[in-house]
Amino acid sequence: MEVVRSQKKPSSASADGVSTIPLYRSAPTLEVRLEDFERFAVDRLLVLRGISDGLARGKKPDEMEKLVSDLWKANMRHPNTSEIIDKDIISHFVLRLVYCRTEELRKWFLSMESTLFRYRFRLETSDVHRALMTELGIPYKSVTNAEFEGLKEKLSQVARSIGQQLPTSDTVYYKVPWEEVSELVGSRRVFIKKGYAYVALNQVVSFVIPHFRSHLSKALVLTNRKWTSMIREQEKDRLTPIVEALSTSYLGPDYTQDKEFGEISLKDIDQVARSSFPLCMRHLFDSLRDDHHLKHGGRMQLGLFLKGVGLKLDDALAFWKAEFSQKVGAERFDKEYAYGIRHNFGKEGKRTDYTPFSCQKIILSTPGVGDHHGCPYRHFSEENLRAALGKMGVSSRELEQVVDKAKGRHYQLACTLTFEAIHGASCDTGINHPNQYFKASQNILKEKKQSTT
């Protein structure tokens, strides 16, 4: 989009100055600095990932409403209050560009943005609800006073059954085809007559969301076409690297080198692997010990993780050489593989000090035949996942919960439940990084050891 400062007021502010929710119908004509382009997107991504975790944990609607409100306040602030709406709009469109690129990314973004819209909508006033319905072009009209009086008793019965205030002559209802509010019909929270549902104003989110979702779904497809046909190539030296990195970006602490636990000794590495490696790294470690070889993806994923937990370069070279030389010989290892290990530590090539992979990056990887990298909760068959979890010591009851979350594509929550099952301690923040798993595990084991001495 052309970045030009607009002189018009954003359409998402009402005439009386009360902020409402943007509907993101068209890209903004706003001047955006490159650093804000990325920073605003990261802030919104923190909100969406927080929502994803809340949904995966099965939080109730009231809990989700509070969570969304807290996430929004914590991450979408701006020093200049007049710029908050601009930040909202810009961050949405940046992430729309990020998540338009594959069907899987589109599906996740559509679900999270619709959930965000749902709970922001619920927090708004009835006047804002009406304004948004008008802007969305929703055609349903409110029930007339005469029709309301004829149905008042039935509507009161429904309100009473779901714990809502009894309707009065001032209560606004909308007459909607019942199939438009299937969630209300399915939970018996609405009165139906002759194919129409009578929806109270405080329930209209149930038919507003499908309209919002439908528009966004179509917009994501169109954005993908523009991205692949034009934007990606035009912006290959400026925006494209940012866009392509954001969907797998890790937004937590830096785990380039463990600063709390210091060095990991080679003589202790097997014991530490059994006690504190997450399943993805445990699988790679065991595969390396069994086969004395890992393909490039596995070497990168495990190698950077080991670097992050405190394995120094000299020890890393000794560790990998001891394994690989059993299969390819010491001379071939020195010629073909040692360079890659030194490269990960920033000692070769561009001398970049590479960081360990985050959960998001590992989940979105695509291991092929003979590969062992990737996320077991996503890439393992159910049978293999059950076997691996049992080997780690997850009990049968907890194992079922983990497998259930993996089936539901809540891979990080499945890993979090595994952590909690093995360590007998909660992890409220959730697992977002293999090195976070390791660090939390080591802390718990250290505390247990101190309590017994």
Side-chain angles (χ1 to χ4, degrees):
M1 65 180 178
E2 187 179 359
V3 283
V4 180
R5 171 61 61 185
S6 172
Q7 300 302 314
K8 294 171 63 179
K9 266 191 170 182
S11 61
S12 51
S14 59
D16 59 4
V18 179
S19 294
T20 64
I21 311 169
L23 294 176
Y24 316 109
R25 289 305 188 96
S26 58
T29 52
L30 298 170
E31 186 176 319
V32 185
R33 295 181 301 172
L34 194 60
E35 56 266 35
D36 287 342
F37 180 92
E38 185 171 12
R39 182 168 58 86
F40 289 177
V42 167
D43 287 347
R44 192 182 194 92
L45 195 51
L46 286 168
V47 175
L48 298 185
R49 289 186 181 171
I51 290 172
S52 179
D53 183 68
L55 291 173
R57 288 176 176 272
K59 288 186 178 292
K60 297 176 181 178
D62 288 347
E63 294 173 322
M64 283 300 301
E65 187 172 294
K66 183 179 185 306
L67 174 66
V68 170
S69 178
D70 291 345
L71 286 168
W72 192 263
K73 289 175 183 175
N75 297 291
M76 294 301 289
R77 292 173 296 182
H78 194 284
N80 186 348
T81 54
S82 65
E83 299 293 323
I84 291 176
I85 292 175
D86 285 352
K87 179 178 179 179
D88 180 3
I89 297 171
I90 292 165
S91 63
H92 170 88
F93 276 95
V94 175
L95 289 187
R96 184 185 289 189
L97 199 60
V98 171
Y99 283 88
C100 76
R101 296 173 298 122
T102 69
E103 184 177 353
E104 184 176 12
L105 291 176
R106 288 193 294 271
K107 185 176 180 180
W108 185 85
F109 182 69
L110 181 61
S111 178
M112 294 309 108
E113 279 286 339
S114 296
T115 303
L116 173 60
F117 183 85
R118 173 187 292 274
Y119 289 102
R120 290 182 70 193
F121 186 92
R122 281 172 52 141
L123 292 167
E124 289 287 2
T125 65
S126 57
D127 287 341
V128 172
H129 290 171
R130 289 191 183 93
L132 286 169
M133 287 168 62
T134 299
E135 194 173 346
L136 279 167
I138 294 175
Y140 313 129
K141 294 182 179 180
S142 56
V143 173
T144 63
N145 288 336
E147 190 172 8
F148 170 78
E149 290 299 328
L151 300 172
K152 186 175 180 180
E153 183 56 37
K154 294 290 186 182
L155 297 174
S156 296
Q157 289 178 12
V158 173
R160 198 177 293 114
S161 70
I162 60 176
Q164 298 285 339
Q165 288 187 338
L166 296 181
T168 67
S169 56
D170 295 327
T171 306
V172 177
Y173 278 86
Y174 289 87
K175 189 175 179 180
V176 183
W178 71 268
E179 61 270 19
E180 292 286 317
V181 287
S182 56
E183 66 177 67
L184 292 178
V185 174
S187 56
R188 298 186 177 184
R189 289 182 290 145
V190 67
F191 174 66
I192 300 175
K193 182 180 179 182
K194 295 182 178 179
Y196 286 94
Y198 290 80
V199 183
L201 184 58
N202 62 6
Q203 297 175 309
V204 296
V205 67
S206 61
F207 63 75
V208 169
I209 288 297
H211 282 78
F212 174 83
R213 189 183 180 99
S214 175
H215 162 73
L216 181 54
S217 179
K218 294 173 184 175
L220 283 167
V221 174
L222 292 174
T223 304
N224 179 51
R225 290 175 187 168
K226 290 182 180 178
W227 168 258
T228 54
S229 66
M230 179 176 61
I231 302 174
R232 181 172 56 192
E233 182 60 26
Q234 287 181 347
E235 295 289 343
K236 64 181 180 180
D237 297 322
R238 193 170 67 118
L239 299 184
T240 297
I242 297 173
V243 168
E244 292 182 341
L246 272 170
S247 63
T248 58
S249 61
Y250 169 65
L251 308 177
D254 174 28
Y255 291 106
T256 303
Q257 189 74 48
D258 192 282
K259 297 176 178 62
E260 183 174 345
F261 296 102
E263 296 181 27
I264 296 296
S265 169
L266 278 179
K267 66 181 177 64
D268 296 327
I269 197 168
D270 286 273
Q271 183 274 323
V272 171
R274 287 192 298 272
S275 66
S276 296
F277 280 19
L279 180 55
C280 57
M281 300 304 170
R282 176 79 175 269
H283 173 63
L284 282 167
F285 187 85
D286 290 346
S287 298
L288 176 62
R289 286 298 202 206
D290 292 340
D291 302 335
H292 310 298
H293 190 272
L294 286 175
K295 291 187 176 182
H296 176 74
R299 297 197 301 273
M300 286 291 290
Q301 184 173 310
L302 179 61
L304 290 173
F305 169 80
L306 292 175
K307 173 191 170 187
V309 303
L311 193 66
K312 298 298 183 182
L313 174 57
D314 289 344
D315 284 343
L317 285 166
F319 168 74
W320 289 98
K321 185 171 184 175
E323 292 300 327
F324 270 54
S325 60
Q326 296 182 55
K327 191 158 191 174
V328 303
E331 184 177 350
R332 185 179 168 192
F333 174 84
D334 290 337
K335 286 182 178 179
E336 297 182 18
Y337 298 101
Y339 177 91
I341 296 165
R342 292 195 299 270
H343 189 268
N344 285 347
F345 279 79
K347 303 302 181 182
E348 300 284 359
K350 295 180 180 179
R351 301 191 180 275
T352 301
D353 194 13
Y354 290 95
T355 59
F357 293 171
S358 68
C359 289
Q360 195 72 12
K361 186 166 185 173
I362 292 170
I363 288 167
L364 292 176
S365 64
T366 52
V369 177
D371 285 328
H372 294 287
H373 65 281
C375 174
Y377 300 100
R378 178 181 181 185
H379 299 123
F380 275 19
S381 67
E382 183 178 335
E383 181 181 0
N384 287 344
L385 179 58
R386 287 179 179 277
L389 291 169
K391 185 178 178 181
M392 289 185 76
V394 180
S395 69
S396 57
R397 182 179 62 83
E398 292 162 327
L399 190 149
E400 293 302 325
Q401 294 177 336
V402 173
V403 171
D404 182 62
K405 292 303 179 185
K407 285 181 179 177
R409 304 174 73 181
H410 303 302
Y411 310 118
Q412 287 171 242
L413 182 54
C415 187
T416 302
L417 293 177
T418 301
F419 177 94
E420 293 175 342
I422 291 171
H423 295 86
S426 62
C427 181
D428 295 334
T429 58
I431 299 298
N432 299 297
H433 199 293
N435 292 76
Q436 172 208 358
Y437 183 111
F438 174 84
K439 184 175 180 179
S441 172
Q442 288 285 289
N443 279 326
I444 289 172
L445 295 175
K446 184 179 178 181
E447 290 171 4
K448 287 181 178 179
K449 186 177 181 180
Q450 289 174 344
S451 65
T452 57
T453 56

